[in-house]
Each structure stands twice: as C-alpha cells, then as structure tokens.
Amino acid sequence: FDADTKSTYSMRSKETEDDYGYITDTDLVKTEIDDAWLAALKARVPELSQAKALRFMQEYGLREYDAKVLSAGRRIAGIFEDAAKIDVQVAVRIVGRELLGVLNYNTLKIEDTKIDAKGISGLVLLIKEGKVSDKNAKESLIRYALEGVPPKEFLEKNKLLIDTHSSDVGAVAKGVVAENRQAFDDFRAGNTKSLNFLIGLVMRKMKGKADARQVQKIIGGMK
C-alpha cells in the first residue's frame, strides 16, 4: 500500500509449489473411496438434531420450537419418543416444558440425574389416565431429578394419586360450598371466577388428590 498515492500494488507473485514452500510427502499414497465404504460410514452416523427436529414435526405434528427443544439432546429425545407412544401432547408438556424446567432451575443436566424413559413414561401414563394432578406431577418430577425417586413410586408412597371413585371428593366439595355460600351463589349467577375459587379450595383440601374436572362436575350439580 502506497500512502502517498493511496493505492496498492503487487510486490511479488506466487504461482508454483516452490514459491509457497510446499514439500511433497512421499509417504502419502493415493486413496480411493468407493461408494460402498462411504455408504457404510454414513449408516454409522446417528440422526443429527436438525434431521430429528424435522422428523418430530412430520411424525408427531410438533411445532418447530418444541421439535427443536426436544431434539437438541439424544437422551431427552429418546425419553420423549418413548413417552410419545402413550400420549404425544402430554409427552411434549412433561418432557419439553416441565422436566427441562426443573433441570434448568436446578442447574442440572439430564446426564447428572437418574431420570430415564421408563420413569417419565410411567408419569405420562398416570396423567393420561387422570390419576395425578398437575401440581403433584410436577412435584414428582422435582423429586425424580433431585433424589432419583421415580414419579410413580413417589406418588404412591406419599398417597398423592387421585382416587376418582372416592366419596371423599363429594364430601369435601359440599363442605367447601357450605363454608363459601356467597362464592357458590356468585357462580350460580354466572361468575366463572367464583367456580375456579371453589375448585381451588377443594383441590387444596384434597392435597391435589382430586380431579379438577370431577370437582367442577360435582359443584356444578349442586343447588
């Protein structure tokens, strides 16, 4: 670069191997790669996250964001696919949101825990069958991540599973309505917030062992 003329010019040219200082290595031999060998190598490469995300969108109907989150790691992806055999949408919520949320909050990687596909699939099945509340399901995930106790084992041991046939739900609902008659009257007058308030009280008294939809049906049928 010439500062006076504000221009550049070539000082010398490099055109041959000698100019660049290349030295031929006589020990290197020519190698031919045939199609069969290349195909065998490709077959050994695991499905990459980008391809997996695309497959999740096509096979499970996932949104792009959920597909990318669930395909980012092989272990998480495997847990999701096992749980998706039971219920895709529940699997997306439990694995992609609740489980990853618990791990992120506690600064944990899935590899740091004893979490496996069997434990998560068991929880997804309980949720699908309406046997556990969202609150207790999340609590079981926290215990699973921090203590290694599988969700179903934790829920059974602490008697947190929903008993849809229990008469206790009806009795508790009647007691809540009796104690909060004004809220019940407001609900009967069309105030949906009052209904949610009453359902919340019942769920609290039942410690999450009731199905909110069942509670709503019971309260809705009262006079």
Side-chain angles (χ1 to χ4, degrees):
F1 176 74
D2 189 327
D4 295 330
T5 63
K6 307 295 183 183
S7 62
T8 60
Y9 59 91
S10 176
M11 296 179 67
R12 64 191 178 101
S13 62
K14 289 186 177 183
E15 296 181 358
T16 67
E17 289 87 346
D18 292 336
D19 291 331
Y20 284 97
Y22 287 167
I23 301 174
T24 303
D25 190 337
T26 56
D27 292 331
L28 294 179
V29 297
K30 292 183 178 180
T31 302
E32 293 185 3
I33 300 176
D34 59 52
D35 293 339
W37 183 73
L38 187 59
L41 285 180
K42 289 181 177 180
R44 290 165 57 186
V45 176
E47 185 180 31
L48 301 180
S49 59
Q50 187 174 5
K52 194 185 297 291
L54 182 60
R55 179 170 65 81
F56 281 3
M57 293 170 65
Q58 296 173 340
E59 187 173 335
Y60 299 109
L62 302 190
R63 297 181 305 161
E64 182 179 2
Y65 174 80
D66 290 328
K68 287 182 176 180
V69 168
L70 291 165
S71 64
R74 291 182 63 186
R75 189 166 169 182
I76 286 291
I79 290 173
F80 162 71
E81 289 210 81
D82 192 77
K85 296 174 184 177
I86 299 170
D87 190 291
V88 173
Q89 293 307 313
V90 176
V92 170
R93 176 167 63 86
I94 291 300
V95 181
R97 298 185 183 88
E98 300 294 352
L99 175 58
L100 290 180
V102 169
L103 293 175
N104 290 337
Y105 181 82
N106 292 281
T107 319
L108 290 171
K109 295 180 180 179
I110 188 73
E111 293 77 14
D112 299 327
T113 72
K114 295 181 179 180
I115 294 172
D116 60 20
K118 182 179 179 181
I120 297 299
S121 292
L123 177 60
V124 169
L125 181 59
L126 290 174
I127 293 172
K128 182 181 180 180
E129 293 177 343
K131 293 183 178 179
V132 61
S133 67
D134 291 342
K135 176 179 177 295
N136 288 336
K138 185 170 184 177
E139 180 63 26
S140 72
L141 281 176
I142 294 172
R143 298 291 184 175
Y144 198 15
L146 299 181
E147 301 173 10
V149 182
K152 186 177 181 180
E153 179 182 332
F154 169 78
L155 293 166
E156 289 178 339
K157 182 179 180 180
N158 292 277
K159 299 180 180 179
L160 295 175
L161 291 176
I162 293 172
D163 182 2
T164 56
H165 303 293
S166 175
S167 59
D168 292 344
V169 180
V172 171
K174 288 180 181 179
V176 166
V177 168
E179 294 170 1
N180 300 271
R181 192 67 199 188
Q182 184 60 55
F184 180 73
D185 291 340
D186 290 343
F187 154 62
R188 299 298 293 178
N191 189 331
T192 56
K193 290 184 179 179
S194 294
L195 174 60
N196 293 333
F197 170 71
L198 294 170
I199 292 173
L201 291 177
V202 175
M203 295 297 289
R204 189 181 308 166
K205 286 181 176 291
M206 292 293 298
K207 296 182 180 180
K209 294 188 291 182
D211 182 359
R213 289 167 296 185
Q214 181 188 15
V215 175
Q216 179 177 349
K217 186 176 181 180
I218 292 172
I219 295 176
M222 293 182 182
K223 296 181 181 180

